Amino acid sequence: MSATTPDPKHTLTEGEVEREGLPDWRMLIDRLHASFDTGDFATAVGLVDAIGRVAEEMDHHPDLDLTYGRLDVRLISHDVDGVTSRDVALARAISESVRAAGVTPRPERTSVLELALDSADEAEIRPFWAALLDYDTVQAWGEIQLHDATGRRASIWFQPTEAHDVPRQRWHLDLRIPPEVVHDRIAAAIEAGGELVDDTAAPAFWVLADPQGNRACLTTWQGRE
């Protein structure tokens, strides 16, 4: 039985989505993500056609990225900028089409990239980056962020820092991944010469650095609710 509210405009948390039991899908940041190995292009096109028919029947439409041998799908209710029971229902229907097509789900390879820019005055620089990248300015998680409307490109958030006279570039990457793969990813990064800098905020995020000290964060939804 569904654990979601029947209100189609109620946005769901990551925990609520996890309790829905959607093995092919992962909620990353603000939408559901799935990735499928299609084997060949004809199978992928057939699956896209099947998903299209289901989407039209439900009057709720996914974002699709098709490349040779792979189909990536993203679901979000744009009217409320989040995941709702409508997305859960469509995710289940898409998974049924996937099983009928004999396609392999690969939820462990889904991810969402965010870019964080340190700034003592984000209001001064935010309009420049929004204009340069043609991004939308949105309110998310209690702060103003820059988002790509298609969900394909990295979103940008601004991290407060001290004022400084000499300009300096202070970007770092945040990569949101499924919780079940984060420890393997950390191990791989360390094996590749990196180091674990800080895990005090885990499981929300881990700070890692490359051999030259450049930092990045691996993040999950856990520890945030």
Side-chain angles (χ1 to χ4, degrees):
M1 180 179 294
S2 172
T4 64
T5 172
D7 181 359
K9 293 187 179 296
H10 168 70
T11 56
L12 304 175
T13 67
E14 289 91 339
E16 288 174 321
V17 169
E18 186 175 70
R19 289 190 289 275
E20 286 292 331
L22 302 173
D24 300 342
W25 300 82
R26 298 294 181 270
M27 183 170 172
L28 303 174
I29 309 293
D30 62 350
R31 60 196 72 196
L32 289 176
H33 292 253
S35 184
F36 305 104
D37 281 338
T38 57
D40 58 72
F41 196 72
T43 298
V45 171
L47 179 57
V48 168
D49 185 55
I51 291 173
R53 291 194 298 271
V54 169
E56 282 296 301
E57 291 173 2
M58 301 181 69
D59 193 26
H60 192 53
H61 302 93
D63 295 320
L64 307 174
D65 287 328
L66 173 62
T67 55
Y68 186 83
R70 174 170 174 165
L71 176 65
D72 292 335
V73 187
R74 297 180 303 278
L75 301 178
I76 187 172
S77 296
H78 293 284
D79 56 339
V80 294
D81 292 324
V83 174
T84 68
S85 58
R86 290 169 284 165
D87 300 294
V88 170
L90 182 54
R92 294 191 198 283
I94 290 174
S95 289
E96 291 179 5
S97 297
V98 165
R99 286 191 290 273
V103 166
T104 304
R106 293 289 304 278
E108 74 282 357
R109 71 182 177 198
T110 58
S111 65
V112 171
L113 181 64
E114 294 182 286
L115 301 177
L117 178 57
D118 290 1
S119 174
D121 185 359
E122 67 173 85
E124 180 181 31
I125 62 174
R126 191 191 314 118
F128 168 83
W129 291 105
L132 181 75
L133 299 170
D134 191 26
Y135 271 22
D136 296 329
T137 302
V138 301
Q139 187 80 25
W141 304 285
E143 61 189 19
I144 300 176
Q145 299 187 358
L146 304 180
H147 286 188
D148 171 33
T150 68
R152 292 189 180 95
R153 295 185 292 167
S155 59
I156 296 173
W157 64 279
F158 298 88
Q159 180 167 267
T161 189
E162 73 283 355
H164 43 271
D165 295 328
V166 179
R168 59 191 182 191
Q169 194 85 350
R170 298 184 64 183
W171 289 98
H172 76 263
L173 305 183
D174 286 347
L175 186 67
R176 179 65 61 91
I177 57 179
E180 69 268 20
V181 303
V182 69
H183 292 291
D184 286 344
R185 194 70 60 88
I186 291 170
I190 293 173
E191 178 68 22
E195 66 172 315
L196 177 62
V197 176
D198 187 2
D199 62 359
T200 57
F205 64 89
W206 292 255
V207 182
L208 296 100
D210 70 15
Q212 297 181 7
N214 300 299
R215 295 188 176 189
C217 294
L218 289 177
T219 80
T220 78
W221 66 266
Q222 293 179 337
R224 298 172 184 270
E225 291 189 304

